[in-house]
Amino acid sequence: SFAPSKAKVWDLGTGELIRTLEGHEDDVLGVCVDDTRVVTVCWDSTARIWELETGILLKVLRGHSDHVCGVCIVAPFVLTAASDKTARVWHLNTGAALRTLHGHEDSVKAVCGSD
Protein backbone atom coordinates (compact mmCIF):
# COMPACT_ATOMS: atom_id res chain seq x y z
CA SER A 1 0.00 0.00 0.00
CA PHE A 2 1.11 3.56 -0.57
CA ALA A 3 1.58 6.73 1.46
CA PRO A 4 3.69 9.73 0.57
CA SER A 5 7.34 8.61 0.60
CA LYS A 6 6.41 5.28 2.26
CA ALA A 7 5.45 1.76 1.23
CA LYS A 8 3.76 -0.65 3.61
CA VAL A 9 4.28 -4.41 3.72
CA TRP A 10 1.22 -6.43 4.75
CA ASP A 11 0.65 -10.08 5.60
CA LEU A 12 -2.01 -11.01 3.05
CA GLY A 13 -3.24 -13.96 5.11
CA THR A 14 -3.89 -12.00 8.31
CA GLY A 15 -4.17 -8.45 7.03
CA GLU A 16 -1.52 -7.44 9.58
CA LEU A 17 0.86 -4.58 8.84
CA ILE A 18 4.36 -6.05 8.95
CA ARG A 19 6.48 -2.96 8.35
CA THR A 20 6.70 0.45 6.72
CA LEU A 21 9.50 1.18 4.25
CA GLU A 22 10.61 4.80 4.52
CA GLY A 23 13.27 6.62 2.55
CA HIS A 24 11.88 7.97 -0.71
CA GLU A 25 11.72 11.75 -1.01
CA ASP A 26 8.30 11.85 -2.69
CA ASP A 27 5.24 9.68 -3.40
CA VAL A 28 5.83 5.99 -4.01
CA LEU A 29 4.25 5.03 -7.36
CA GLY A 30 4.89 1.30 -7.65
CA VAL A 31 6.03 -1.81 -5.82
CA CYS A 32 7.24 -5.26 -6.84
CA VAL A 33 8.07 -8.12 -4.46
CA ASP A 34 9.95 -11.39 -4.82
CA ASP A 35 10.77 -13.99 -2.14
CA THR A 36 13.42 -11.87 -0.43
CA ARG A 37 13.22 -8.29 -1.72
CA VAL A 38 10.87 -5.39 -2.31
CA VAL A 39 11.55 -2.81 -5.03
CA THR A 40 9.75 0.54 -4.84
CA VAL A 41 9.66 3.33 -7.44
CA CYS A 42 8.88 6.97 -6.89
CA TRP A 43 8.30 10.53 -8.05
CA ASP A 44 11.83 11.24 -6.78
CA SER A 45 13.21 9.52 -9.94
CA THR A 46 14.65 6.58 -8.01
CA ALA A 47 13.97 2.92 -7.41
CA ARG A 48 14.91 1.37 -4.08
CA ILE A 49 15.66 -2.24 -3.25
CA TRP A 50 14.74 -3.37 0.27
CA GLU A 51 15.23 -6.62 2.14
CA LEU A 52 11.73 -8.05 2.62
CA GLU A 53 12.38 -9.76 5.95
CA THR A 54 13.95 -6.78 7.75
CA GLY A 55 12.95 -3.70 5.72
CA ILE A 56 16.61 -2.69 5.40
CA LEU A 57 17.35 -0.48 2.39
CA LEU A 58 19.87 -2.35 0.23
CA LYS A 59 20.30 -0.16 -2.88
CA VAL A 60 19.11 3.12 -4.38
CA LEU A 61 18.88 2.99 -8.18
CA ARG A 62 19.54 6.40 -9.76
CA GLY A 63 19.60 7.13 -13.47
CA HIS A 64 16.13 8.13 -14.61
CA SER A 65 15.65 11.86 -15.16
CA ASP A 66 11.92 11.91 -14.34
CA HIS A 67 9.58 10.04 -12.03
CA VAL A 68 9.68 6.26 -12.09
CA CYS A 69 6.23 4.71 -12.32
CA GLY A 70 6.67 1.02 -13.13
CA VAL A 71 8.78 -1.81 -11.76
CA CYS A 72 9.17 -5.54 -12.30
CA ILE A 73 11.58 -8.07 -10.80
CA VAL A 74 12.82 -10.71 -13.24
CA ALA A 75 15.69 -12.12 -11.18
CA PRO A 76 18.50 -11.35 -11.42
CA PHE A 77 17.20 -8.13 -12.98
CA VAL A 78 14.98 -5.22 -12.05
CA LEU A 79 13.12 -3.43 -14.85
CA THR A 80 11.96 0.16 -14.34
CA ALA A 81 9.73 2.44 -16.43
CA ALA A 82 9.76 6.22 -16.23
CA SER A 83 8.36 9.47 -17.52
CA ASP A 84 11.74 10.23 -19.10
CA LYS A 85 10.59 8.01 -22.02
CA THR A 86 12.91 5.14 -21.08
CA ALA A 87 12.89 1.75 -19.45
CA ARG A 88 15.99 0.59 -17.63
CA VAL A 89 17.48 -2.75 -16.70
CA TRP A 90 19.37 -3.03 -13.39
CA HIS A 91 21.12 -5.88 -11.61
CA LEU A 92 19.00 -6.86 -8.61
CA ASN A 93 21.90 -7.83 -6.36
CA THR A 94 24.43 -5.10 -7.19
CA GLY A 95 22.14 -2.25 -8.25
CA ALA A 96 24.29 -1.72 -11.34
CA ALA A 97 22.62 -0.02 -14.31
CA LEU A 98 22.91 -2.51 -17.16
CA ARG A 99 20.90 -1.05 -20.02
CA THR A 100 18.70 1.90 -20.96
CA LEU A 101 15.93 1.13 -23.45
CA HIS A 102 15.27 4.18 -25.64
CA GLY A 103 12.75 4.70 -28.44
CA HIS A 104 9.48 5.49 -26.72
CA GLU A 105 7.82 8.73 -27.76
CA ASP A 106 6.15 9.37 -24.41
CA SER A 107 6.32 8.29 -20.78
CA VAL A 108 6.78 4.60 -20.10
CA LYS A 109 4.18 3.70 -17.46
CA ALA A 110 4.75 -0.01 -16.90
CA VAL A 111 7.17 -2.87 -17.47
CA CYS A 112 6.74 -6.62 -17.47
CA GLY A 113 9.16 -9.45 -18.01
CA SER A 114 9.58 -13.19 -17.75
CA ASP A 115 12.40 -15.66 -17.27
Side-chain angles (χ1 to χ4, degrees):
S1 110
F2 304 101
S5 72
K6 301 176 186 178
K8 296 187 182 287
V9 178
W10 302 87
D11 181 308
L12 297 179
T14 66
E16 177 184 348
L17 176 63
I18 297 171
R19 75 185 36 81
T20 301
L21 306 175
E22 298 185 57
H24 280 290
E25 298 171 14
D26 210 328
D27 293 346
V28 174
L29 299 175
V31 176
C32 190
V33 180
D34 74 1
D35 292 337
T36 61
R37 287 154 298 204
V38 178
V39 183
T40 55
V41 294
C42 180
W43 274 95
D44 66 10
S45 302
T46 67
R48 293 175 190 248
I49 302 172
W50 313 81
E51 186 175 87
L52 179 59
E53 185 69 28
T54 64
I56 292 172
L57 178 62
L58 300 173
K59 302 285 179 195
V60 178
L61 309 180
R62 292 185 171 88
H64 285 290
S65 62
D66 205 342
H67 62 273
V68 186
C69 34
V71 62
C72 180
I73 297 172
V74 184
F77 306 109
V78 175
L79 312 174
T80 56
S83 289
D84 62 5
K85 302 179 186 177
T86 68
R88 289 183 178 251
V89 181
W90 313 82
H91 195 280
L92 181 58
N93 296 325
T94 67
L98 302 175
R99 187 165 288 116
T100 301
L101 306 175
H102 297 278
H104 294 278
E105 296 179 9
D106 207 341
S107 297
V108 183
K109 302 291 187 192
V111 287
C112 184
S114 65
D115 297 2

